[in-house]
Amino acid sequence: MTRAVLSIGSNLGDRLGHLRLAVEGFAGSLVAVSPVYETAPWGVTDQDDFLNAVLIVSDEVDEWGWLRRGQALEEASGRVRERRWGPRTLDVDVVSVDGVTSADPELLLPHPGAFERATVLVPWLDVEPGAVLPGHGRVADLVAGLDLSGVTRRDDLRLGDRSTRG
């Protein structure tokens, strides 16, 4: 049994619908679903804002299983990878898998950019106030050091009945 933190995001087409596709795709493994946040793009800034959320999942799957499930959902949403950090219908990142580190270029764990991304840390903190990002410390402390402008909680948008603290 592994427990993972997954970050989901979309800024193309039916953004909320794409996030819901991810929630449905992980439905049997869901422990918690964060509230939805609207966030300014990160990396490549000449694109539309994202909707982001975090899923906490647990199942009889290893880290590669979480990655493959996320990639299958990205493909089902019609994701096209044209440029790094570019617009996308759905992005599913494996942020952390309990007890696992990986230096494999296909699956770096914990996710190498998570410690500086409000798009990941803010929703994660909502569902797991005591969360720790391996190698970087408490998520609450990391969030305290971030610029949160461009990060807006969207309580008018819901992903399901588990959109509460886990």
Side-chain angles (χ1 to χ4, degrees):
M1 181 73 72
T2 63
R3 183 179 175 283
V5 177
L6 309 175
S7 175
I8 60 174
S10 174
N11 77 334
L12 285 178
D14 180 3
R15 299 178 304 163
L16 186 61
H18 293 305
L19 296 187
R20 286 181 174 151
L21 173 74
V23 170
E24 291 166 12
F26 288 104
S29 306
L30 283 175
V31 174
V33 178
S34 79
V36 175
Y37 282 82
E38 190 155 18
T39 61
W42 191 95
V44 175
T45 58
D46 64 336
Q47 58 184 314
D48 293 337
D49 287 351
F50 280 81
L51 291 182
N52 294 98
V54 162
L55 310 178
I56 308 292
V57 292
S58 181
D59 211 333
E60 296 290 334
V61 178
D62 68 6
E63 63 273 19
W64 292 99
W66 295 122
L67 177 67
R68 299 295 179 242
R69 284 173 70 178
Q71 289 172 331
L73 292 166
E74 289 174 347
E75 186 175 320
S77 77
R79 177 165 179 183
V80 176
R81 296 175 189 271
E82 292 180 349
R83 65 178 174 165
R84 187 173 189 193
W85 298 319
R88 61 209 78 159
T89 53
L90 180 63
D91 185 36
V92 179
D93 285 334
V94 180
V95 176
S96 168
V97 178
D98 286 348
V100 178
T101 58
S102 172
D104 188 301
E106 189 179 356
L107 180 60
L108 297 169
L109 288 174
H111 191 286
F115 74 96
E116 61 185 351
R117 294 189 189 156
T119 58
V120 174
L121 299 175
V122 172
W124 185 6
L125 189 60
D126 273 346
V127 292
E128 195 171 36
V132 173
L133 180 61
H136 297 282
R138 291 175 7 102
V139 170
D141 295 338
L142 295 171
V143 168
L146 294 176
D147 174 5
L148 300 180
S149 61
V151 177
T152 304
R153 184 168 161 160
R154 294 288 308 269
D155 288 329
D156 58 318
L157 304 177
R158 295 196 44 92
L159 292 176
D161 61 355
R162 292 193 181 114
S163 296
T164 57
R165 289 195 167 155

